[in-house]
Structure formats: structure tokens, C-alpha cells
Amino acid sequence: MLSPELGRFALALACSLAVAQFVLPLTGAWRRDPRLMATAPALAFGQLACLALSFVCLAAAAIGDDFSVANIAENSAIAKPLLYKITGIWGNHEGSILLWSLILALCGGAVAWFGRTLPSTLQARVLGVLGGTAAGFELFCLFTSNPFDRVWPAPVDGHGMNPLLQDPGLAFHPPILYAGYVGFAVPFAFAVAALMEGRVDAAWGRWVRPWAVAAWCFLTCGIALGSWWSYYVLGWGGYWFWDPVENASLLPWLTGTALVHSAIVVEKREALKVWTVLLAIGTFSLSLSGTFLVRSGILNSVHSFANDPTRGVFILGLLALVIGSALLLFAIRAPKLSAGGTFAPLSREGALVMNNILLCAICAVVLTGTMYPPFASLLFGSAISVGKPFFDATAAPMALPLLAAMAIGPMLPWKRAQLAPVLARLWWAGLLAGIVGLAAARGLKGVLPIVAFVLGVWVIAASAASLLQRIGHRRGTAFRDSLHRARMLPRAVFGAALAHAGAGVTVIGLAAMSDASHAIVAVHTGDSVQLAGYRWTLTGLADAAGPNYRARVATIEVRRHDHLVTVLHPSRRDFASQNQTTSEVAIHTNGMADLYAVLGDEHDSGPGKDNEHTAILRLHYNPLAPWMWLGALIMAIGGALSLSDRRVRVGAPRRARNAVAVPAE
Amino acid sequence: MMPPGSLLSRRRVLTIAPLAGAAAVGVGFWAMLAGMGRGSFDPHDIHAPALNRQVPPFALPDQAPGHGFSSADLGAATAPLLVNFFASWCIPCVIEAPLLISLKGRLPVWGIAYKDRPDDAAGFVTRTGSPYARLAADRPGLTAIDWGVSGVPESFLIRPGGTIAWHTAGPLTQEIIDRQVLPLAAELRR
Amino acid sequence: MRRLLLALLPAVLLATILVGPALAVSDPAEMLKNPRQEARAEAIGSQLRCLVCQNESIEDSGADLARDLRHVVRVHVAAGDSNRQIMDWMVVRYGDFIRLRPRLTWVTLLLWASAPLALVAGLVAAWLGMRRRALPPAPLEAAERIRIAELLR
């Protein structure tokens, strides 16, 4: 029933519907034909349904071990656990493109559903742009990356999946990350639609912001999950490597964060309009280019592209079409957008502009660093590397003024502000940050971590201060009054404060991790090692069997002052079918630090020690490590909280009647 | 509410800038992809600066079935020769072996077995038909580092007198041999 | 994130090099006995790129070549070479590719200038925008003046 052929057919049908979703509503909006425009939501729902069916067909083939499907044969195996048979669908190039298309269709469906109150021409244009983008990816999927291709004769068993990928954290990482990447397609479509209409106003800002915030939340979670995965799977205690693949996700996050902030200025003050439109286009462009250029072989590993040159050319053509036409429209239309409201440099708007400048400057540096090696090779024929030491030295310091400013920004009034009264409200936050910072300075080494730690505390304290200010809490105010005011406060205010505090938590974690310590030791069973005030004792080594691997498990007792803290079981897994070994890290966390152990090779101890092996252990003490990801989670929760704000739930505001529009088309 | 003319033009320039920038980057990517297709652009090429240097000093032991050699032997050579780093565990080396054998009589090839067990290397060389005139073993892999070798196979064309005239990281192909190695060797012989 | 790379590139086969499993637990026997020397060796190693891996330093990598290079660094450190001498030794053999922190040359000038350039460009753009907004609105045209007069009548 759910055959691969049905899946392929559904995919082709979805592609046709996407083309219709591109052509009909845009023509309708252009010719002011309400019947054509009204087709947009139906086509979006139809496309979503077809893609969902197509995806279910692929899932059925994966779960049913249908190795006559080339994609399943190459990436799955009978012995693979069910969970990874399902998540393995998107664990390879073809399947991930299908997931990408499905999420894009979901975005279209969401705009069709939640955007019912949008002006019909705007909704038709947004859905039209989304349809055109989706059609491109579905064509790419159909012609160069079809997951439904069959092989004959069908193998008895599949090749299996890279064991490193058989991990629950990883399994759910791509959908979340893609939801972030693809989610920015909606602000992109809104920006292009606004350029077509020749009009950007406060209402546009208010419509586009929730979509940007939603995508931002997913992207934040996706990046954090990826970082966490590399921390506990790759097993050398690192969490961020400034690898091109990581940078590809960081770039749209940076501009997306800028977009979430600049859209506020559009909504409240009708300023920064051209800039916000550009950010919306740029963010999705970076999402697209990042993920796809990584697959082309230019930035990264040698292979997937070399195998199939048409794939890289198709990707580049698609990027040129989507990004190029949006930027061309921007170049033609943006100068005609009306100018925005005025404000003084020192004001809420000014602070948000500063935020945008710093975020985009960091983005520019990361982008330059990531793209520099291939371009240096192309233009000058010189092979250079740009790695962690470069980014640590350039991009990281630029985040510090951002942190300093993000504490003050939310407390400034719009249009024109005085610094003194704001600082007067923040004196206790500054004092707290200073005291904590001095305490931290005794534990941390290096200027950058100490400054970052102080600023992290400062941001958290200032977020609390901004909330207290909003609920009017000061000495003498009745607690009940404050509580009442807090209840009346829009959730977006809490969301913003929470998101800022989350950023502070992440920064504190990052700063503290600079003080992480580790030891690499060769020990016999019964031996103890001292690290970071803990006594780590190897008490046993044993063999164990898993579903598709054999494991060697060490038992390590960790004591502090003779009190047993935890027992860690790091292990090594041998996957015979892939001839690969993975190492399973054991982590114990108490919220303030991670105790982290990795089991390395074993050696014979040599003569005199019968049947005794020396095991090599890598032990880490990572202070405040969980805070890095906890902060990201708090940021995302803050974003979600502001999405639940009444103003967003109630629906779209009416467009101001008196706004002067430049005639479209 | 149109800004004055000069500002309009500056605004126009600013709004075209993103398109121009993206187009430039796109052309760059296109050139890279085209170059990768032709083999003229490899973003992973290390460009190890081996050329025109005297070979680093080394003395390597025998690897059966051949005799080891040292930098002095290379320096004493009177004709150009090809030094080939290989290993029995390296799949591209297996693919490369017939090409090396086809060089017999045209260009002497001296082999260095990189981080290989002596038996494995000997078995590999015998199986493939012994393309090597001299054969040395670099079990610790430290001589290879001195040469700037980042993987196997890698080949170096040595001038008489022991300087490096040409180098490639990765397997030789018929095309590389016909277009680059043999013409250069002929030139060096003159 | 590295998962993405692995996930998206089916069968990540390195063409010319056999990379060992990603077990970055190196043998303590290869570490220097003197902790200060060992710390210095680690600092140098973290600036050197593993030539056969993605973007890792030789200290982070489990590849065989990275292990050999770690060994070479430690031999040089133990022999009393300066950081610069060791770095130069590596660059002579592997070129600038091995530096994770690129040297400032004409080629990398734009790279190192990217941070200040981006900041200055942002500030200038903001200043221009601010100044434009501060300009008084353009004087009314004759037609507009007539229309206002009509409306006010």
C-alpha cells in the first residue's frame, strides 16, 4: 500500500501543487483576482498532505526493511534498533532533503492556517513565495536526490548506519535544526511579499515577528542540541569547534537574533524597515547557503559532491534563483520604501541598532573566516586554515560589548533616553556582578573568561531589574500592587527578560568552562587518580553485549572526602558490521559541574602482572558545563513565552488605514 | 517623502550592494565547483611546500623484497626518479599499483612503506608485481612527516642531485603520468 | 553539529588516509613528564591543524598522523625549541595549511581586518541612516501647496 512508488508519486504531486502555489496566488495578487488568490491556502494544505504521505511511505519502507530501496539499503540494516530506523530516514542526504521539504510545507500550512486574518494579497504573496521555494527543493529531491530509487537485485541486508549517529540526542537533532533553518523561510517570504507590495509598516513588523521568533527558538535548540551531542558523543570534552558545519548553523542564528530585535523597531516605531527586510532575506539565505554548500564539498568533506557533480550545480542554481531574485527585488524596491521615524542614538531604538551592528559584525567575521580558505585557494592559490584560535581571538571578544549593552537596552525608553536614571536603577545589578566577578576572578584564569563571567551575571541581574521596573516594584510599593501589575504585564516582557537571562546563563557556562581540567591516565583496576578535588578509582573492566555491538565497560567510583559521589560507566563499543569503534562517555552532573570519563585503549601491562590490563582513561572536570545548554533552553523558553503573548494569540492587527502606500507592480 | 537626489543614489547603491556581494560569492562558488569537476581546484589540497627543496636527511631500513635507501642515495642519483609513499592498508595504493608497474623501464620508482607491518608490505608489493627498484620501510612514519606527507599514496619526482621537482598528494592517474610526470622526467634527463 | 556532516555525507570515506576511530584518548606514555613542558606542547598542538581531519587540532584528533605530530611536537619541546621554532618547523613541511590561526600576510589581511571593518561599516551605516532621518522633510511642491490650500479652505 505505502509503496516507495506511491511516495515518489506523492512527492511529484506535491511538487506540482507547489508550482501551482507559486504561480496562481502571485498572478492573482498581481491582477487583483480574489479567486486566484483564494487558491493559495488550499494549495498549501494539499502540498503538505502530499509531502506527509510521501514521508510516511519512506518511513514505511525504512521500518519494513525494504532494502530494494537504495536509500534504505545504504543506510539501514535489519539489526538496527527501531528508533534509529525511523530517525535514520533523515540521517542521510536524500531523506534529509525530503524532511527539509516537509518542514517547508509545514511552514506553508501554518501560514495558511494562522494567517487567515492577513490581508488577502499579502497572504497570497507570502504563500506564493513559499510555494516557489518549496517547488525548487522538491525538484531537487526528485531529480538528484530521490530517496525512493530502487536497486536490483535487492540486498539481503543493508549496509547499516554510522554508529556515531545511533544516538537519541542526534536522532532528533535534524528535525529541530531544520525547523529553525526552514522556519526562517516565512520571514523571508514576508519580506519578499512586502517588497512586491512596496509597503513595510508597523503591522508588517507585528506579523513577521512571531514567525521569526518561532524559527529562532528552534534554531537555538537545534544548535544547543548539536553542541551537546558533540560534547557527550565525540568524547574529548569539547562543545564547539568552529567547524564549517557548526558555523553554518551559527550564521543564520546571529542574523536571526538581529532580525527578532530589529522587527521590534519596525513594529513599535516604523523605523529600520529596509534593514529588517534585508535581514529577513539574509537570514534565510544564510540558512540555505550554509546547509547546502556544506553538502557541495567546497567547505567540508571531500566526497558527496565529487560523486555527483549535477547535485552541486543544481544546488547552486537553486540558491542563485531563490536568493538572487529576492535580492534583485530588494535592489529595485527597497529605495522606494518610505523612511522611518526618527530617534536619538541613546534610546531603545539606538540600543537595538547597536545590537544589530554587533550581531551582524560577529556574523560577518564568522562568515569571512569560514569562507576564507576556499576563496584564498581559488584566488591566490594558497592553502590556509582558519580554525578555533582565530575565531576565539576575533569573534568572541565582540560578544562582550553586546552583553554589556543587552542589559541596559531593555530599560531605555523609546525615542530619547537618559543614561543616568537607567544606571541608577541598575546599580545593585552592577554591584552584584562586581562581587560575583571578583569571586570568580579568583577561580578563573585569563581576562576574557573573567570579563565574560561578570557580564553574564550582569545580564541576568539586569533582566531581573527590568522586570522589577516594569511591575513598579520599589521600596514602599505594596507587594499586592506589584503582583497585580506583574499579572497584567504582557508575556512578551517576561519572555524577553527570560531570553536575556538565558543568554547570561550560557555565557557564564562558557566562561567557567575555560577553567575545565582534565587528566589522561593509564591505570590498573584498583588504582586511584586525583582530579579537581575528586578521587577517581577504576574498580572494574567488563565485557557486555548490545543489540548490534559488543561493549567494553569500565567502572569508575568517584569520591570526594571519602564520600561516594557517583559511579561512572564509560564504555567502548565495537560495531562489527561497520568495523567501527565508538566511545560512550560517562557523565555525572550535579548542575554545577560535570564529571566526565572516557575509556580509551587497553594495554597488556607487561611481565609480572598476569591477566592485568592497563586501561587508559580520560577524565574531565567541567565546571558549569550544563549551564551552556541550560541557558540556550532558557532562551528558547523565553522566545516561546513571548509567542504565547495575548497580542500574538488574538491575531493580526488591522493595517493602519492612513498609511501611504507606494502602488505595487 | 522622497529623499533628495544625492541621497537617493547613495541609497540605491546601498541596496544593490547585497545583490552584488551575493553574486560575487556565487560566481566564486561556481568557479570552485567547475574547478572541482575538472580537477583543477581542490579545497582540501594542503599545498605542502615540498618543491625545489633538497630531500630531508633520512636513512631507512630495508623493506623486503627490496633494499632500503637514504637521502644520500637520492643525492647520488644521476637520473630523475619517483619516490612513492604507500601502504598495504591503503585502498588508493592498490588502484595506483598497476600504473607504477607500467612505469618500469621509463622511470625508476623507489618505494617507502608508510606505517606498515613488514609482512603486510612485502605481501602487497609481491602481489602487485614489485614496481619498486628500491624499497624502504618507514614504520614510525616520522620520515614521511619530514617530507610533508599527509597521507598515502604520495609521490615525489626527484631531480638528479636530490631536489624535489614535482609532488602530488593522492593517487597517480594515467593522465597525471602522461601529462606531468613523464614529460618533466624527460626534461630533467636532458 | 558534526553529526550533520556525518549524516549528510553518506559513507564518509577518506580517500587517501585511513583515520583511526575517533577515540581521542591518547596514551599517557606520549605525554611529557614535566607538566610545564606538557602544557606548552598542548598549547602548540592546539594551534596545529590535523591534516587529515575536518577542522580539529592535532591535540583533539584521534588520527594516526595527529598522534605522530603530537609526538614530534613533544620531542621538540623536550629539546628546548621555542614555540616559534616548532611552528616554523611544521610550516616548512606542511605550509600555512597547518596553522589553525593564520599568519598575517597580504593574503590574510582581509580576514584579520574583517572584525574592525565590519564594526566600522555598521557604525557608519547607522550614522548615515540616523543623519538621513534627522534631515528636515523636503519642502512642499507647488501642487501639494495648492492641494493643502484647497483642503484648508
Side-chain angles (χ1 to χ4, degrees):
Chain A
M1 207 12 231
L2 292 170
S3 70
E5 278 65 39
L6 180 65
R8 185 198 289 259
F9 172 73
L11 178 59
L13 189 59
C15 185
S16 320
L17 289 175
V19 171
Q21 186 189 331
F22 176 55
V23 175
L24 297 183
L26 286 183
T27 317
W30 177 43
R31 293 174 44 186
R32 307 256 172 250
D33 183 340
R35 276 181 313 166
L36 281 181
M37 289 196 285
T39 58
L43 287 168
F45 291 134
Q47 188 208 346
L48 174 59
C50 288
L51 269 177
L53 176 64
S54 176
F55 196 80
V56 168
C57 288
L58 187 59
I63 295 167
D65 291 327
D66 184 353
F67 298 121
S68 70
V69 178
N71 184 42
I72 311 287
E74 277 163 24
N75 300 294
S76 192
I78 294 169
K80 195 163 83 168
L82 178 66
L83 172 69
Y84 301 120
K85 282 180 183 166
I86 298 169
T87 62
I89 297 168
W90 53 74
N92 57 79
H93 171 76
E94 287 84 2
S96 66
I97 297 282
L98 188 64
L99 177 69
W100 180 282
S101 305
L102 177 65
I103 295 175
L104 192 52
L106 270 172
C107 289
V111 172
W113 182 256
F114 295 108
R116 282 163 299 177
T117 49
L118 290 175
S120 55
T121 46
L122 185 71
Q123 196 200 22
R125 284 184 166 123
V126 170
L127 285 172
V129 173
L130 283 174
T133 314
F137 286 104
E138 285 150 21
L139 283 174
F140 177 58
C141 199
L142 277 172
F143 286 112
T144 68
S145 319
N146 197 320
F148 298 107
D149 283 341
R150 296 263 201 180
V151 276
W152 186 260
V156 181
D157 197 356
H159 295 301
M161 187 191 202
N162 188 331
L164 272 181
L165 306 181
Q166 298 188 17
D167 176 272
L170 181 57
F172 296 103
H173 170 75
I176 294 173
L177 191 67
Y178 288 2
Y181 283 144
V182 180
F184 279 113
V186 181
F188 170 83
F190 266 96
V192 174
L195 288 171
M196 288 174 176
E197 304 217 319
R199 184 160 100 170
V200 178
D201 54 18
W204 182 87
R206 188 175 280 196
W207 287 321
V208 81
R209 215 173 91 80
W211 297 102
V213 170
W216 179 88
C217 290
F218 279 114
L219 192 54
T220 306
C221 288
I223 293 173
L225 197 56
S227 158
W228 185 53
W229 175 82
S230 63
Y231 174 75
Y232 79 81
V233 163
L234 296 182
W236 52 86
Y239 50 89
W240 190 261
F241 301 91
W242 294 107
D243 183 272
V245 187
E246 294 172 337
N247 294 350
S249 68
L250 184 64
L251 293 171
W253 186 85
L254 289 167
T255 55
T257 311
L259 172 63
V260 164
H261 287 91
S262 76
I264 303 176
V265 184
V266 177
E267 182 186 337
K268 305 279 189 206
R269 299 278 303 133
E270 291 218 12
L272 298 189
K273 292 190 284 191
V274 175
W275 171 242
T276 305
V277 165
L278 182 61
L279 267 183
I281 295 174
T283 302
F284 185 57
S285 303
L286 286 172
S287 300
L288 278 183
S289 333
T291 30
F292 286 90
L293 289 169
V294 157
R295 297 176 193 214
S296 72
I298 289 174
L299 284 180
N300 215 299
S301 183
V302 210
H303 314 278
S304 65
F305 171 67
N307 301 338
D308 186 1
T310 52
R311 207 176 260 179
V313 173
F314 201 117
I315 287 173
L316 196 61
L318 191 58
L319 291 184
L321 214 60
V322 174
I323 301 172
S325 48
L327 288 178
L328 183 65
L329 193 63
F330 178 81
I332 295 169
R333 282 300 177 84
K336 295 189 186 126
L337 293 176
S338 58
T342 60
F343 55 87
L346 187 65
S347 60
R348 180 83 69 88
E349 298 97 315
L352 289 165
V353 167
M354 203 57 215
N355 148 305
N356 272 231
I357 292 173
L358 287 166
L359 281 168
C360 291
I362 296 172
C363 177
V365 171
V366 176
L367 184 66
T368 312
T370 310
M371 300 312 307
Y372 217 81
F375 274 93
S377 178
L378 180 75
L379 298 175
F380 308 110
S382 53
I384 59 165
S385 299
V386 180
K388 191 169 162 28
F390 170 81
F391 293 109
D392 282 350
T394 53
M398 289 166 83
L400 299 181
L402 187 64
L403 287 166
M406 76 190 259
I408 301 170
M411 310 197 64
L412 294 173
W414 297 98
K415 284 177 103 166
R416 189 178 295 277
Q418 304 285 323
L419 199 54
V422 173
L423 290 180
R425 280 194 211 97
L426 280 174
W427 66 268
W428 65 270
L431 189 67
L432 183 67
I435 293 168
V436 174
L438 280 179
R442 293 183 52 205
L444 294 175
K445 289 178 285 290
V447 178
L448 190 68
I450 293 170
V451 174
F453 198 99
V454 169
L455 286 173
V457 177
W458 158 250
V459 166
I460 296 173
S463 302
S466 78
L467 275 185
L468 289 179
Q469 181 202 350
R470 291 296 288 267
I471 61 177
H473 187 75
R474 59 179 76 97
R475 223 170 301 153
T477 319
F479 181 66
R480 189 182 295 193
D481 284 357
S482 295
L483 203 64
H484 179 68
R485 283 207 200 186
R487 214 174 286 140
M488 299 304 289
L489 214 55
R491 286 194 200 167
V493 174
F494 285 109
L498 202 58
H500 280 199
V505 170
T506 294
V507 167
I508 289 175
L510 291 170
M513 271 297 276
S514 71
D515 201 35
S517 50
H518 73 271
I520 302 170
V521 290
V523 284
H524 308 290
T525 37
D527 288 356
S528 290
V529 183
Q530 283 286 339
L531 174 71
Y534 291 84
R535 194 153 53 83
W536 313 57
T537 312
L538 178 69
T539 54
L541 281 165
D543 288 315
N548 50 353
Y549 58 84
R550 288 183 309 114
R552 182 82 173 154
V553 186
T555 305
I556 301 171
E557 292 182 2
V558 186
R559 286 191 164 76
R560 191 183 177 92
H561 308 309
D562 291 329
H563 165 73
L564 184 67
V565 177
T566 184
V567 182
L568 297 170
H569 295 284
S571 66
R572 235 181 21 244
R573 291 181 181 173
D574 281 310
F575 289 79
S577 67
Q578 282 91 5
N579 191 20
Q580 194 168 352
T581 308
T582 66
S583 117
E584 296 292 308
V585 177
I587 301 175
H588 169 83
T589 183
N590 60 9
M592 298 302 285
D594 279 0
L595 304 173
Y596 181 112
V598 190
L599 173 63
D601 292 333
E602 288 168 51
H603 294 302
D604 293 322
S605 312
K609 301 210 169 178
D610 302 331
N611 302 325
E612 265 238 7
H613 287 271
T614 315
I616 295 172
L617 299 178
R618 189 177 189 136
L619 309 172
H620 289 257
Y621 173 78
N622 293 335
L624 299 189
W627 288 37
M628 295 188 289
W629 304 293
L630 181 71
L633 191 64
I634 295 174
M635 278 192 257
I637 291 173
L641 195 61
S642 74
L643 275 180
S644 72
D645 193 297
R646 211 179 67 86
R647 288 175 299 174
V648 177
R649 283 201 316 269
V650 162
R654 294 210 156 252
R655 197 154 227 176
R657 288 263 168 219
N658 55 355
V660 185
V662 177
E665 265 91 17
Chain B
M1 274 251 297
M2 279 290 168
S6 65
L7 281 170
L8 181 71
S9 64
R10 184 165 66 205
R11 225 181 161 196
R12 173 73 73 187
V13 168
L14 282 177
T15 52
I16 290 175
L19 179 64
V25 172
V27 168
F29 283 138
W30 181 79
M32 288 173 202
L33 286 178
M36 283 161 74
R38 282 195 309 270
S40 60
F41 175 81
D42 178 7
H44 308 277
D45 192 355
I46 292 171
H47 290 279
L51 298 189
N52 302 320
R53 275 195 298 147
Q54 190 72 25
V55 296
F58 70 94
L60 288 176
D62 294 353
Q63 162 68 55
H67 290 291
F69 56 94
S70 66
S71 45
D73 295 332
L74 288 174
T78 52
L81 56 89
L82 194 74
V83 172
N84 176 253
F85 285 83
F86 72 97
S88 64
W89 43 258
C90 139
I91 296 158
C93 300
V94 181
I95 301 164
E96 186 189 50
L99 291 167
L100 291 176
I101 289 172
S102 75
L103 283 175
K104 252 184 188 165
R106 291 193 282 176
L107 180 66
V109 182
W110 292 16
I112 298 179
Y114 172 73
K115 292 183 91 91
D116 214 349
R117 273 198 293 266
D119 293 350
D120 292 351
F124 171 79
V125 169
T126 324
R127 260 200 319 280
T128 53
S130 293
Y132 303 111
R134 303 281 294 263
L135 193 55
D138 180 17
R139 280 211 74 186
L142 296 178
T143 302
I145 288 178
D146 246 352
W147 282 67
V149 166
S150 57
V152 278
E154 272 198 45
S155 304
F156 299 80
L157 188 66
I158 310 295
R159 284 194 191 90
T163 53
I164 297 168
W166 177 89
H167 160 237
T168 187
L172 293 165
T173 60
Q174 193 65 53
E175 198 191 348
I176 293 177
I177 288 175
D178 293 342
R179 294 257 183 92
Q180 302 181 38
V181 180
L182 289 177
L184 191 56
E187 202 176 291
L188 293 179
R189 244 179 237 118
R190 253 186 270 128
Chain C
M1 305 317 319
R2 201 145 303 206
R3 132 211 77 279
L4 245 192
L5 153 76
L6 295 163
L8 301 182
L9 307 171
V12 179
L13 285 170
L14 283 184
T16 56
I17 294 283
L18 193 76
V19 179
L23 285 178
V25 181
S26 43
D27 195 331
E30 68 182 48
M31 288 164 44
L32 293 170
K33 294 281 172 282
N34 178 338
R36 287 186 59 183
Q37 285 187 337
E38 173 61 25
R40 200 163 74 99
E42 273 175 34
I44 297 168
S46 65
Q47 304 272 320
L48 292 172
R49 176 171 183 165
C50 165
L51 298 151
V52 295
C53 327
Q54 269 317 310
N55 226 358
E56 295 155 8
S57 74
I58 58 169
E59 289 295 323
D60 293 334
S61 171
D64 275 353
L65 183 63
R67 185 186 309 160
D68 292 344
L69 288 172
R70 281 200 294 269
H71 169 73
V72 170
V73 168
R74 276 156 181 80
V75 167
H76 282 266
V77 167
D81 286 3
S82 73
N83 291 13
R84 198 198 171 97
Q85 279 172 319
I86 298 173
M87 199 57 100
D88 287 346
W89 192 93
M90 290 290 174
V91 171
V92 162
R93 278 150 189 84
Y94 288 105
D96 278 331
F97 187 84
I98 202 166
R99 295 168 176 270
L100 278 172
R101 183 196 181 105
R103 189 161 37 176
L104 181 62
T105 62
W106 285 111
V107 169
T108 59
L109 190 62
L110 196 61
L111 175 69
W112 282 106
S114 62
L117 275 183
L119 275 180
V120 168
L123 289 171
V124 167
W127 178 71
L128 285 177
M130 215 75 95
R131 207 182 57 159
R132 184 170 55 78
R133 278 196 200 95
L135 282 179
L140 298 175
E141 288 168 18
E144 289 169 324
R145 242 178 268 146
I146 292 166
R147 177 145 169 71
I148 287 174
E150 275 172 7
L151 285 172
L152 287 177
R153 204 179 316 133

